[in-house]
Amino acid sequence: GPAALALLGPAPGAPSCPHGPALLFVKTSQGKEEGRRFYACSACRDRKDCNFFQWEDEKVSETRLAAREEYNRSHQPCFTHTQNVDRYKNFVLLPLSKRRFCQDCQQLLLPAEWKKHSDHQFLCDITTARLKSPSQLLYPLENKKTNAQYLFADRSCQFLLNLLIDLGFRRVLSVGTPRLHEMIQSKASQEEEFNVRSLLLDIDFRYSQFYTEDEFCHYNMFNHHFFGGEAARETCRKFLCEENGERVIMVTDPPFGGLVEALASSFKKLMAMWRETEKEGHDNREMPMFWIFPYFFETRILDFFPSFSMMDYQVDYDNHALYKHGKTGRRQSPVRIFTNLTPRMIVLPEEEGYRFCTVCQRYVSSGNQHCEICNSCTSKDGRRWKHCVLCKKCVKPSWFHCNNCNCCTLQKHSCEKTDPGCFVCGKAGHKRSACPSLSRS
């Protein structure tokens, strides 16, 4: 059978790569006993982005340990966050004609450094407005599965922010959502009466050039690692304290190739951090959360967070060819909001085609018909689904029941068992790259 990888999770005493503590994996083959366990980079799924690898039972020599530490050190950013904050202060004091940004190095330049970057591409006349929207100034790191920086379209970002405000939240822990953080920050600096605050946790250290230590923590959401150590962890913990009853919510938008299990483990640790901030009252409650992720991961997410449910709102992205709304994108976005808030509180905009279902007590996409037999609005993708009596559930409109396969599937499919569908889990209806099951080949 196909070999797959299973994540065993963060292990105490795990070795580190430049992305923090590595995660422990095991290779499994169907029908065979477990393979050897090994450590690999928590953040990079692609070996060419970070090729860290070590067998769990391997004895690593002193020389190799020293070389590894040196490698990790040399792969840290050239300026610290504190230095970047100082550089920013100096940068804003410069006249417009002297404000340059090096595109090759993705760095704000001070005049003394121009010479060193003279053969690089740079942008000139960086206005304060541009400094306030770094996500538009920086190149999106799209090629890396680690970063997969697809940024919220303005409309979706505005919708999320309005929703948070209507729900009464005043503090947003923005985990991997630089656009939302940016929108909150710029409104706060422009509008006197705007009282929402945000803390950005992101693996992209470039943001440290634009935000202070109270506004940004360099963080890896795959292994819950704060690169700034105890001080950064404390910043986050403080931010999660509900001072004078200001309610806090975490909003996260992880890379879609990310391991759900690793993410869930980190999110639970952030929730625990929130619980510790309050001496009483939080014991059995969960920190309010929006986890933004494709709908085909629904069962995986609910495995880890049974209190969550999936909203019908389609979240759109600016620089993602597939996930654009309406006529221009190739198809509708599969990205949804998973939340532990009461579904009926999440009001979706009627003008964008959502309506309230009184039976389900939640807002649904207008094409999402309530099925009397399932007794719920069953569509996951905005189209009207149909009920199959034999499958005892609703299925996509383009599917038909195949008596050979004994389930609903596309009309053009090969029934032979030679086509198991997905390589990883063997189910039909999705490719390996979109497999919601944990293992990956």
Side-chain angles (χ1 to χ4, degrees), residues 212-231:
T212 65
E213 283 109 328
D214 288 338
E215 299 167 325
F216 168 74
C217 296
H218 191 203
Y219 175 78
N220 178 347
M221 66 170 99
F222 291 105
N223 58 3
H224 186 59
H225 178 64
F226 285 88
F227 294 85
E230 209 32 65

Side-chain angles (χ1 to χ4, degrees), residues 37 46 54 69 101 113 122 143 163 202 213 226 261 285 305 316 325 337 351 382 421:
R37 300 163 166 232
D46 212 322
Q54 183 191 312
E69 270 181 35
F101 176 78
E113 298 156 341
F122 45 78
N143 54 337
L163 178 60
D202 203 292
E213 283 109 328
F226 285 88
E261 185 144 336
R285 281 178 47 224
F305 293 106
D316 291 332
H325 193 73
I337 300 169
E351 66 280 5

Side-chain angles (χ1 to χ4, degrees), residues 248-370:
V248 67
I249 185 169
M250 171 177 153
V251 182
T252 183
D253 181 40
F256 302 149
L259 290 167
V260 176
E261 185 144 336
L263 294 167
S265 157
S266 296
F267 299 162
K268 287 187 168 162
K269 286 174 183 161
L270 287 169
M271 282 182 163
M273 210 185 232
W274 170 81
R275 238 181 246 118
E276 287 156 20
T277 59
E278 204 71 355
K279 297 295 166 278
E280 75 282 11
H282 280 176
D283 297 338
N284 41 19
R285 281 178 47 224
E286 278 180 359
M287 167 164 69
M289 186 164 134
F290 282 173
W291 178 342
I292 293 162
F293 226 50
Y295 71 79
F296 34 83
F297 285 96
E298 182 178 22
T299 46
R300 289 293 296 152
I301 290 178
L302 300 188
D303 280 347
F304 294 107
F305 293 106
S307 66
F308 280 35
S309 48
M310 183 177 89
M311 304 295 98
D312 270 18
Y313 185 78
Q314 298 192 5
V315 179
D316 291 332
Y317 293 81
D318 255 0
N319 52 336
H320 199 302
L322 297 178
Y323 300 169
K324 278 202 180 120
H325 193 73
K327 314 268 188 292
T328 50
R330 291 227 299 270
R331 53 180 170 164
Q332 295 186 305
S333 168
V335 186
R336 302 288 181 269
I337 300 169
F338 293 86
T339 183
N340 48 6
L341 299 176
T342 314
R344 68 165 185 279
M345 292 165 62
I346 314 292
V347 179
L348 304 185
E350 275 175 38
E351 66 280 5
E352 283 179 36
Y354 300 97
R355 60 178 180 81
F356 189 71
C357 173
T358 47
V359 190
C360 295
Q361 283 290 297
R362 69 181 181 100
Y363 282 79
V364 296
S365 168
S366 50
N368 193 353
Q369 228 44 48
H370 191 86

Side-chain angles (χ1 to χ4, degrees), residues 88-116:
Y88 182 85
K89 284 180 188 147
N90 291 326
F91 190 90
V92 242
L93 295 173
L94 296 168
L96 204 53
S97 60
K98 296 216 164 140
R99 290 192 194 173
R100 288 187 184 178
F101 176 78
C102 178
Q103 286 185 294
D104 297 23
C105 305
Q106 294 285 288
Q107 193 185 311
L108 298 171
L109 296 183
L110 298 171
E113 298 156 341
W114 288 2
K115 209 162 162 203
K116 207 173 96 198

Side-chain angles (χ1 to χ4, degrees), residues 186-241:
S186 81
K187 277 190 195 294
S189 69
Q190 284 159 14
E191 303 168 25
E192 195 82 7
E193 67 289 348
F194 186 83
N195 58 355
V196 181
R197 291 193 297 134
S198 169
L199 172 65
L200 177 64
L201 306 189
D202 203 292
I203 198 166
D204 185 353
F205 189 68
R206 297 177 304 173
Y207 284 107
S208 68
Q209 302 178 83
F210 305 92
Y211 298 121
T212 65
E213 283 109 328
D214 288 338
E215 299 167 325
F216 168 74
C217 296
H218 191 203
Y219 175 78
N220 178 347
M221 66 170 99
F222 291 105
N223 58 3
H224 186 59
H225 178 64
F226 285 88
F227 294 85
E230 209 32 65
R233 187 180 288 275
E234 187 51 30
T235 298
C236 182
R237 211 191 54 74
K238 270 231 228 22
F239 185 83
L240 293 177
C241 284

